[in-house]
Amino acid sequence: MKRNTLYSIFLALLVLALGCEEDDIRSEIGPDIQVQEEYLAFDGLNVGETVSIPVNVKSENGIKRLSYFFITETANGTETSDAVHFDDPAQPTSIQKEISFEAVPKTLEMVLVAFDSYNKSSEIHIPFENIRELPSLSFTDNVDYRETVFENKLLNISGAISSEHEVEKISYATIVNNEPSSEQTIDFSNGESISFSAQVKVVKGLQGIIIKAENVYEGSVVDTFQIGAVVDDAVAITMENGITEISNLYAGQANSLKGTIASGSDLVSFSYAIKQNGSYGEETAIPLGTPVDEFPFEISLEGETGMQAVRFTGKNQNNNMLELELAIQRVNLPLVYLKDVELTTEIGAGKPNWFAAYQAPHIFDQSTAAQHQEMMDVALVVRGSALRFLSATVYEAGSYLPLISPYLEGFTQATYSVVTSNRGSITPESFSSLAFDEDLENFIQDKVIASKADGGENYNVAGTNRRTSSDLEANKGLIIGWGSYQDGKANNEQFALIYVKEVSLTDGIGRVKFDIKYPQPDYRTEYNPVSIKPYP
């Protein structure tokens, strides 16, 4: 949208908000907005810089409102900020305001608008050019806190700075007993990414080290490396990114854990152990590094079901010992991936009519399906001139009973499965990208359940009681899942994605070939107590 269109609409809304009526319109010009020349344009502000503009407004008709708003550049054009209003019920003939704000990136202009008592308005535009980004600063491994440091030892504080504009100065200052020291310059070489390192001697009362970077336009960034405690001798372990728990481990692949161990005296041993199914296993030694009182480390773990925590244990020559336990929040399991599953609508010995995710060999003819009826997920049927997947409990819908009943011969119970229509979110690319159960869960939430504004389909697959697919089509996908359907309410909790590869219907006999991905745990059995219906 063009800038003039935006603020024209915005001004119209301001007039409506003031309650303009036809009888109020006068031929007089709007209020006189006066801003000194030095404030009529800005060039070269730093992001975050405070700007104050003295504004004087006069009108012999009285001033009802002074407002201001900003127009900023976006990826889609421009947008207008919410307006800030100054209203005065007394409607004086003259007002003075000091308007203060902080410079933000991509600001194009500020618009000042004044209304008199007859709702006649005037406006001025103050343009902004070249609002400069500040440098950015990060500490090594994103760690900005050390729980324990050791008196009289050197503490190395390092990291990187990036800046759109040339960096002029990097410095550090210490905070000791709540008092900041004078700044000390840090040597560096300019470039797109600048590494810095400061060697700080640890003293009693040290609480933090302040790092400051300033560019040639006096734009600066400041961050503080925090210290928990200064001690004479102990062992301290700090994990990369400052983690205190392990959010995810992935089964079947290497998971790296990195950190740094430090000690007031030389370390003599360092090891880790894994807690699985309620107990810790054997200690695994971690090689001591150089220098022996502080060094980085890395271990590699392969996630397994039942893993609960990792414990690091360090001991120094003065017999000070530390155990650091990191709880494992989740072990992600690879999805089951079945390829080229084939079903047919033709009934007979050896004819695959049913699919069961959690019962090998996964495809069953009508008679063997009856022998494992509590594990069946979907059957393939002909409906009109098309093919569909049906859940066993679809028999409760009268129009589908004739379709499913031949496949339920010999059944005494029918399991509930949710079966969706074709979902546009399931494409070859999205299907192939799913490797772990967490990936599938995120896909269901972000691409199916989420609103369209948030990138999803706004489809409540968790709450639908749908038990039939739409007409199957090659190169389309759908969702099946497990949960319950009780008293008219569906609660679908776990899901599988099906990608249909081939569909054919010849002489009344239908065939389909598909791939499917679903979680490893047997959710069919888990939800059977609340998903089975008596049949017929």
Side-chain angles (χ1 to χ4, degrees), residues 434-447:
L434 305 179
F436 290 89
D437 45 14
E438 182 186 42
D439 299 333
L440 178 56
E441 291 169 14
N442 291 339
F443 179 86
I444 294 294
Q445 183 59 50
D446 298 340
K447 300 301 181 182

Side-chain angles (χ1 to χ4, degrees), residues 196-242:
F196 69 85
S197 179
Q199 297 284 333
V200 180
K201 186 175 182 179
V202 177
V203 298
K204 286 289 188 183
L206 180 65
Q207 298 165 297
I209 297 94
I210 303 169
I211 305 294
K212 180 180 180 181
E214 184 175 315
N215 66 24
V216 293
Y217 297 108
E218 299 182 347
S220 63
V221 61
V222 177
D223 205 350
T224 301
F225 190 98
Q226 303 283 348
I227 302 298
V230 177
V231 300
D232 294 329
D233 189 17
V235 178
I237 301 173
T238 304
M239 302 303 297
E240 184 180 46
N241 297 319

Side-chain angles (χ1 to χ4, degrees), residues 6-322:
L6 277 171
Y7 63 70
S8 295
I9 294 172
F10 199 83
L11 286 175
L13 291 173
L14 284 175
V15 171
L16 288 173
L18 288 166
C20 178
E21 299 178 2
E22 187 176 353
D23 291 341
D24 291 332
I25 299 175
R26 301 289 188 273
S27 61
E28 294 89 341
I29 61 174
D32 178 22
I33 305 175
Q34 298 178 356
V35 176
Q36 297 176 33
E37 185 174 355
E38 62 185 290
Y39 299 107
L40 288 176
F42 291 89
D43 187 2
L45 294 174
N46 291 318
V47 170
E49 184 175 342
T50 299
V51 179
S52 294
I53 302 177
V55 179
N56 188 10
V57 184
K58 296 181 179 180
S59 174
E60 62 181 15
N61 294 324
I63 301 160
K64 188 174 184 179
R65 168 176 286 182
L66 172 64
S67 302
Y68 70 91
F69 57 91
F70 298 94
I71 297 173
T72 57
E73 182 181 4
T74 69
N76 298 319
T78 59
E79 67 179 15
T80 302
S81 71
D82 293 334
V84 177
H85 305 299
F86 302 104
D87 294 330
D88 192 334
Q91 299 185 7
T93 58
S94 176
I95 62 171
Q96 289 184 329
K97 289 288 181 184
E98 184 100 356
I99 297 177
S100 297
F101 55 91
E102 289 188 354
V104 299
K106 308 296 184 182
T107 301
L108 298 175
E109 62 183 27
M110 176 186 192
V111 181
L112 292 168
V113 187
F115 294 86
D116 66 16
S117 59
Y118 297 120
N119 287 333
K120 294 295 293 182
S121 67
S122 57
E123 63 184 78
I124 64 172
H125 296 247
I126 300 175
F128 295 86
E129 299 288 343
N130 189 27
I131 296 180
R132 297 183 289 253
E133 295 282 356
L134 300 178
S136 63
L137 185 158
S138 62
F139 292 105
T140 299
D141 295 333
N142 295 315
V143 174
D144 60 2
Y145 176 75
R146 180 78 68 87
E147 175 64 32
T148 305
V149 294
F150 309 104
E151 188 177 8
N152 296 322
K153 289 208 168 188
L154 288 178
L155 178 62
N156 182 50
I157 304 299
S158 61
I161 293 164
S162 60
S163 178
E164 181 181 352
H165 309 287
E166 183 179 355
V167 174
E168 186 172 63
K169 180 182 178 182
I170 304 175
S171 63
Y172 77 90
T174 60
I175 305 173
V176 178
N177 296 323
N178 299 317
E179 291 292 333
S181 71
S182 59
E183 292 183 357
Q184 303 293 317
T185 300
I186 299 174
D187 293 332
F188 67 95
S189 298
N190 245 311
E192 291 185 3
S193 182
I194 302 166
S195 297
F196 69 85
S197 179
Q199 297 284 333
V200 180
K201 186 175 182 179
V202 177
V203 298
K204 286 289 188 183
L206 180 65
Q207 298 165 297
I209 297 94
I210 303 169
I211 305 294
K212 180 180 180 181
E214 184 175 315
N215 66 24
V216 293
Y217 297 108
E218 299 182 347
S220 63
V221 61
V222 177
D223 205 350
T224 301
F225 190 98
Q226 303 283 348
I227 302 298
V230 177
V231 300
D232 294 329
D233 189 17
V235 178
I237 301 173
T238 304
M239 302 303 297
E240 184 180 46
N241 297 319
I243 65 170
T244 57
E245 63 182 20
I246 301 170
S247 299
N248 291 283
L249 282 183
Y250 293 88
Q253 69 179 43
N255 298 264
S256 176
L257 293 176
K258 299 179 181 180
T260 298
I261 184 169
S263 173
S265 59
D266 288 351
L267 289 154
V268 295
S269 66
F270 189 30
S271 62
Y272 74 91
I274 297 171
K275 185 178 182 180
Q276 190 168 10
N277 299 321
S279 61
Y280 273 100
E282 295 181 357
E283 295 287 332
T284 301
I286 301 173
L288 300 181
T290 303
V292 75
D293 63 346
E294 181 170 351
F295 54 87
F297 66 88
E298 179 179 4
I299 66 170
S300 182
L301 302 177
E302 184 171 313
E304 294 181 10
T305 302
M307 280 187 173
Q308 297 167 292
V310 178
R311 183 186 65 204
F312 293 95
T313 304
K315 183 179 179 180
N316 68 18
Q317 64 184 15
N318 291 327
N319 290 320
N320 292 297
M321 188 173 72
L322 175 70

Side-chain angles (χ1 to χ4, degrees), residues 380-536:
L380 181 69
V381 306
V382 177
R383 185 175 187 270
S385 59
L387 304 182
R388 291 196 174 191
F389 289 132
L390 299 185
S391 165
T393 55
V394 79
Y395 78 86
E396 294 180 321
S399 61
Y400 283 95
L401 179 58
L403 299 179
I404 194 67
S405 58
Y407 301 91
L408 290 175
E409 185 176 343
F411 280 58
T412 58
Q413 56 188 15
T415 51
Y416 166 78
S417 304
V418 63
V419 187
T420 76
S421 57
N422 296 327
R423 309 313 311 169
S425 58
I426 303 175
T427 64
E429 294 76 19
S430 65
F431 187 82
S432 64
S433 70
L434 305 179
F436 290 89
D437 45 14
E438 182 186 42
D439 299 333
L440 178 56
E441 291 169 14
N442 291 339
F443 179 86
I444 294 294
Q445 183 59 50
D446 298 340
K447 300 301 181 182
V448 180
I449 296 176
S451 68
K452 292 182 179 180
D454 291 329
E457 295 183 338
N458 197 34
Y459 180 69
N460 184 20
V461 69
T464 181
N465 69 345
R466 187 181 177 100
R467 285 161 279 175
T468 170
S469 71
S470 53
D471 295 345
L472 298 179
E473 298 180 56
N475 304 315
K476 295 288 181 70
L478 64 141
I479 301 168
I480 68 170
W482 303 274
S484 64
Y485 177 60
Q486 301 290 323
D487 301 322
K489 182 178 180 181
N491 185 25
N492 309 311
E493 300 191 47
Q494 298 292 335
F495 303 95
L497 260 58
I498 289 177
Y499 185 74
V500 178
K501 301 169 79 172
E502 296 177 12
V503 178
S504 66
L505 181 58
T506 304
D507 297 330
I509 302 299
R511 292 179 174 82
V512 66
K513 180 188 290 187
F514 63 91
D515 292 350
I516 184 170
K517 290 183 177 182
Y518 55 92
Q520 288 188 31
D522 182 357
Y523 290 120
R524 163 55 68 204
T525 299
E526 179 177 340
Y527 294 115
N528 270 349
V530 291
S531 70
I532 290 179
K533 303 276 188 178
Y535 179 80

